[in-house]
Amino acid sequence: MAASPSTARAANDRLALDLLQQEGALTAGQLKNLTGLSRPTVADLVERLGAAGLVHVVGEAGTERRGPNARLYGIVADRAHLAALDVRTGGVAVVVTDLVGTTLREDSLPIGGEAGTGPAVEQAVAFLEGAVAAAGATRLHSIGVGAPGLVDPATGELRDTSGLPAWHRWLLTALRDRLGARVLVENETNLAALAEQRTGAASDRDSFAFLWLGHGVGAALFLDGRLRRGASGGAGEIGFLPVPGTGGLPSAAGCEGGFHSLAGAEAVCALGERYGVGAEGADPALRAAGAVARAVETGREDFLEDLAGRLAVGAAAVASVLDPGCVVLGGEVGLAGGEALAARVQRHTAALSPLATQVRAGVLGGGAVLGGALRMAQDAARDELFAGA
């Protein structure tokens, strides 16, 4: 059945807006070539999108051409402002952008463990409000929040998880009340995987598993182009995976004795000390990353082989159950190890699993969570604003 004229116009407008979001400013001729639409149709949609306040002329193409055909059209960047928050146990990081993703403000704030729930929430909200004001934004359309812990797939809310600060959950309500924006929350590992899938190491993959290697360990699963969260939002809690070599078993109350005890930051730091490549610092994730980077730089094959063997235990378990075809090593440790570590993990994984599994190094590191949260906010704003075009 042929689409109605209004449905066809909406589809054409959305196609043009998506191209402008992905490619940047384009001329009407470039839009015609990329969309396959006729010149009159492109002229009509550009006029409609301009009247809707979504598209405007941002310049001209070339140095010799002038006139209507040379006009470059771009999305009206300040039509909406967005924010992303990376909520950690000891503080928050924030970025504020316009609709096309230009960074207007980026900052971080430590929040000490001695702060009570109320004061911690007030510090975080006031910090975001200050960042929004400094960015020159009057209000936010959407806020993407990445946090440790499980997100209830039915409600979209952060679940009450033991071991995490209570202010994490109360922060979401305070953000909605104080800023009046749409607030979306997702598990931090899932967001890091989203960022690697959009602009990082898995940009050419519809299916892959992502291993977060930072303070703790976690996994995210993209299968057939979709993020899989599981029945309770707990898919990827690989730190609890029972594995050999830890001297014990994990429990429902803690992941000690599971894969976390092989690959968490403290375990990597201890391994580095054993091989004489330890690093200093207060943050265990950064110390672990420092040890891995030092081993790569100095060619410490013994350390890298031992670490790769540990990581392969988790990678092979994921590969054997899900067969994603690709595992990306992310977080601070994955970034520090780079291809040198990834190649070794791939070799060890091949020895443990009969399923062909490529292992890649993540390229976004610890900043992937913030990047993924921003992508989530951008998608929400784009879906709402572009739907009415």
Side-chain angles (χ1 to χ4, degrees):
M1 182 180 296
S4 67
S6 61
T7 301
R9 284 195 298 270
N12 292 340
D13 290 353
R14 181 58 186 263
L15 176 58
L17 286 165
D18 286 345
L19 283 169
L20 291 171
Q21 183 85 24
Q22 296 164 11
E23 305 292 335
L26 298 169
T27 65
Q30 290 170 325
L31 280 170
K32 172 183 176 297
N33 293 335
L34 289 170
T35 61
L37 300 173
S38 68
R39 190 174 298 277
T41 299
V42 170
D44 287 343
L45 72 83
V46 167
E47 184 176 352
R48 274 196 308 276
L49 296 177
L54 290 170
V55 167
H56 63 164
V57 177
V58 297
E60 290 189 342
T63 57
E64 297 179 358
R65 299 173 57 195
R66 292 292 183 269
N69 291 336
R71 290 173 183 165
L72 281 168
Y73 297 95
I75 291 175
V76 179
D78 60 1
R79 176 65 187 270
H81 289 96
L82 315 169
L85 281 175
D86 180 2
V87 180
R88 300 293 180 96
T89 302
V92 296
V94 63
V95 61
V96 180
T97 76
D98 58 25
L99 184 57
V100 299
T102 302
T103 298
L104 305 175
R105 182 75 175 181
E106 188 169 4
D107 205 351
S108 61
L109 174 73
I111 298 178
E114 70 280 358
T117 299
V121 169
E122 177 58 32
Q123 287 180 50
V125 175
F127 176 64
L128 177 56
E129 289 176 328
V132 172
T138 55
R139 64 178 297 272
L140 294 175
H141 180 284
S142 299
I143 305 171
V145 180
L150 304 183
V151 176
D152 191 318
T155 66
E157 295 295 323
L158 193 63
R159 291 172 54 181
D160 189 7
T161 306
S162 61
L164 294 176
W167 64 266
H168 284 193
R169 296 183 69 243
W170 290 104
L171 174 61
L172 303 178
T173 300
L175 290 173
R176 294 186 181 102
D177 292 344
R178 290 265 289 271
L179 283 92
R182 182 179 182 183
V183 179
L184 306 103
V185 61
E186 181 59 88
N187 171 266
E188 59 181 356
T189 305
N190 287 343
L191 288 179
L194 174 63
E196 291 283 2
Q197 197 268 341
R198 292 290 184 86
T199 60
S203 59
D204 62 336
R205 300 286 310 187
D206 287 329
S207 295
F208 71 99
F210 175 82
L211 293 187
W212 176 266
L213 306 171
H215 180 74
V217 294
L221 311 171
F222 265 87
L223 300 176
D224 301 322
R226 292 181 56 193
L227 177 66
R228 308 292 178 165
R229 298 177 176 84
S232 65
E237 287 293 313
I238 198 171
F240 287 87
L241 180 72
V243 294
T246 64
L249 289 172
S251 70
C255 56
E256 294 301 324
F259 183 57
H260 172 85
S261 294
L262 282 183
E266 294 290 357
V268 176
C269 289
L271 190 67
E273 293 293 337
R274 185 191 310 171
Y275 285 101
V277 291
E280 298 182 353
D283 187 319
L286 296 181
R287 282 194 289 118
V292 174
R294 185 177 176 186
V296 171
E297 292 168 1
T298 58
R300 289 300 301 266
E301 293 290 330
D302 48 2
F303 170 84
L304 292 173
E305 285 294 323
D306 198 334
L307 177 59
R310 293 181 174 208
L311 299 181
V313 171
V318 172
S320 298
V321 175
L322 299 170
D323 190 19
C326 178
V327 173
V328 176
L329 307 181
E332 292 88 351
V333 169
L335 181 67
E339 291 301 328
L341 179 60
R344 290 168 172 82
V345 175
Q346 179 169 318
R347 177 163 46 78
H348 281 274
T349 301
L352 297 174
S353 172
L355 303 177
T357 305
Q358 185 181 39
V359 179
R360 300 179 179 179
V363 297
L364 302 177
V369 177
L370 201 59
L374 180 59
R375 290 286 180 175
M376 182 170 62
Q378 285 177 322
D379 288 348
R382 186 181 67 177
D383 287 344
E384 181 179 319
L385 295 173
F386 291 2

